[in-house]
Amino acid sequence: MRRLPDAAELDAARSRTIPDVLPGPGDPPARVLFCGINPGLVSAATGHHFARPGNRFWPVLHDSGFTPRLLRPDEQGELATWGLGITNMAPRATARADELTDDEVVAGGRRLRVLVAELAPAWLAVVGIGAYRTAFAQVKATVGEQDERLGATGVWVLPNPSGLNAHWSREAMTAEFARLRSRTRT
């Protein structure tokens, strides 16, 4: 088991950013770009997306068929070999997503539109309904496929896999991720 960052390392990680994980020139075309809200402190301290123990992103990604095996956060680079990527709506690390300002989330939405135009994934999957509603000014959006498209890219909102989002069970999240998975090319 990998050592978790201690309190001093977590405190030092506040406001850090972490690089996106994106398919490169030798990888398959981008099928899905997953977009988290922002890095948590464990993610910022380790440099790995969705790294906090209890975050259900990696198990749900596997359970829904996106990956052939359960990946650890430090294996995030393998996603590119399946045409998958990860970015964040807001780049600044915080202990909780509610520490972000609406202006940061809206600015993240603008940055995300540029990234999607450059990468041209088949799908943008925003992991967190509140961030999507704020960034894209879609106050009535619900989880699932959205009417809005970004060029040729479809938009899907997924439930936030954070352990703080307890009203979504792992099984229900897996089912929603699998709905998106069924719409992606393999």
Side-chain angles (χ1 to χ4, degrees), residues 35-37 89 125-134 143 156-161 165 177:
C35 178
I37 299 168
M89 187 72 68
V126 178
V127 182
I129 187 70
Y132 176 77
R133 287 174 177 163
T134 300
V143 168
W156 201 287
V157 176
L158 293 167
N160 183 341
N165 188 13
F177 274 61

Side-chain angles (χ1 to χ4, degrees), residues 16 26 29 44-45 47 85 87 100 112 116 121 134:
R16 277 190 197 156
T87 190
L100 297 171
L112 187 57
V116 166
T134 300

